Amino acid sequence: MARIVGGICTSHIPAIGAAIARGAQDDDYWRPFFKGYPPVRDWLAETKPDIAIMIYNDHGLNFFLDKLPTFAIGAAAEYQNADEGWGLPTLPPYAGDPEFSWHLIESLVNDEFDLTTCQEMLVDHAFTVPIALLWPDRSTMTAKTVPISVNTVQHPLPTPKRCYDLGVAVGRAVASHPEDLKVVVIATGGLSHQLEGKRAGFINKAFDEMCMRDLIEDPLALTRFSIHELVEHAGSQGVELIMWLAMRGALGKDVAKLHSHYHIPVSNTGAGLLLLENAA
Ligand code: DHB
Ligand code: FE
């Protein structure tokens, strides 16, 4: 049986990818951010997951305003990256696992989550930057990927509760896969940030800290926020918290925190990192 060995949430700010490309990880600005990651890299090196389910939000590279699925899932043998600006290099493709993807799709659609299935999917910084943070040496990344993209771009967005429930269904889908595979669920985005308008640069540290706590102890409390309340508390792009809720839904009721880190600001964002596993 496949099983979820852990869940990771991390911010995906493009400036991080640009800093990695420049080799600036040890600069004064970047050191306090990058120092949060080695414990999670070590855990991955030790755990060696076979599959990484990447729950992220496309920012306009693969989907645009003309056609924007609420939830989309990849079923390809590989996923290409492409130039999206931000000073980011275009990175080599990521391995997929069509068989595992289709198992997830069958199970999720049966569970009444009607995702858009993509046999071709470009992956943007929300997918590539977390992988660069977690596996700085790509040759050590044995996990094949399954991208699940959540609309955070064009309102109406899926509710926090719906995203948590999607995660629960992902958990059920993994548990019903017959092969003995180790699966890590990686959610990207957040925490508080707003990139445009009068509140550009808005960060809410107290709210971020509450989210990092409640995500572990009382995730259902976070599912009670509406999207508009999340925008108010976390900024218009802070709604990326909904991916974190999907990851949490995929884990069991009780989880143990293995590592956490929070640093502000990174670019315009409160940057958070969490590594959780199911409680024994
Ligand atoms: C920033 C953060 C994001 O989540 C993103 O997608 C783009 C930019 C930022 O803080 O610069
Ligand atoms: Fe983003």
Side-chain angles (χ1 to χ4, degrees):
M1 289 300 233
R3 69 195 162 92
I4 295 180
V5 289
I8 298 170
C9 308
T10 171
S11 301
H12 62 219
I13 305 148
I16 300 164
I20 293 171
R22 290 198 310 280
Q25 293 94 323
D26 208 31
D27 288 5
D28 288 347
Y29 180 84
W30 287 106
R31 199 180 311 111
F33 166 75
F34 280 98
K35 80 165 199 251
Y37 283 79
V40 186
R41 292 173 191 158
D42 292 348
W43 179 86
L44 283 166
E46 204 175 296
T47 310
K48 296 187 186 58
D50 303 295
I51 304 276
I53 298 177
M54 303 291 300
I55 306 180
Y56 74 109
N57 56 311
D58 181 85
H59 297 70
L61 184 71
N62 190 72
F63 302 113
F64 201 58
L65 304 179
D66 58 335
K67 299 179 198 73
L68 198 39
T70 300
F71 299 120
I73 182 165
E78 69 170 30
Y79 301 96
Q80 306 269 350
N81 177 224
D83 186 2
E84 52 172 321
W86 305 106
L88 289 169
T90 300
L91 297 169
Y94 299 81
D97 186 333
E99 191 279 327
F100 193 83
S101 283
W102 282 110
H103 171 82
L104 284 190
I105 293 164
E106 292 275 354
S107 179
L108 289 167
V109 173
N110 232 343
D111 249 343
E112 301 177 353
F113 284 88
D114 308 316
L115 297 93
T116 299
T117 54
C118 303
Q119 299 187 59
E120 234 176 80
M121 202 167 175
L122 289 174
V123 289
D124 78 354
H125 66 270
F127 181 103
T128 63
V129 166
I131 287 178
L133 279 167
L134 297 172
W135 287 276
D137 175 359
R138 275 276 295 278
S139 71
T140 65
M141 182 186 183
T142 47
K144 293 178 175 171
T145 57
V146 179
I148 298 181
S149 170
V150 178
N151 169 31
T152 67
V153 171
Q154 178 158 267
H155 289 257
L157 311 185
T159 62
K161 165 81 165 51
R162 183 71 175 152
C163 293
Y164 180 86
D165 290 345
L166 173 70
V168 174
V170 167
R172 268 195 295 270
V174 170
S176 70
H177 192 282
E179 248 181 284
D180 192 17
L181 297 170
K182 290 182 277 185
V183 178
V184 63
V185 181
I186 301 176
T188 92
L191 288 164
S192 61
H193 61 301
Q194 171 146 345
L195 302 178
E196 79 292 310
K198 281 197 193 129
R199 289 206 308 170
F202 172 77
I203 289 176
N204 186 345
K205 183 177 181 210
F207 187 76
D208 289 347
E209 286 175 344
M210 184 203 76
C211 288
M212 289 183 71
R213 205 175 45 242
D214 276 0
L215 202 78
I216 298 164
E217 289 164 15
D218 189 10
L220 292 182
L222 298 177
T223 66
R224 289 182 204 113
F225 285 110
S226 70
I227 284 290
H228 289 96
E229 285 164 343
L230 277 191
V231 169
E232 212 173 293
H233 292 298
S236 51
Q237 281 77 38
V239 293
E240 289 176 348
L241 176 72
I242 58 181
M243 269 76 68
W244 292 43
L245 276 165
M247 183 290 276
R248 182 61 183 85
L251 296 183
K253 188 170 163 294
D254 296 318
V255 294
K257 179 177 89 174
L258 299 183
H259 181 67
S260 73
H261 187 69
Y262 180 76
H263 179 67
I264 50 169
V266 174
S267 187
N268 295 290
T269 301
L273 170 66
L274 266 183
L275 167 60
L276 307 177
E277 68 175 7
N278 280 319

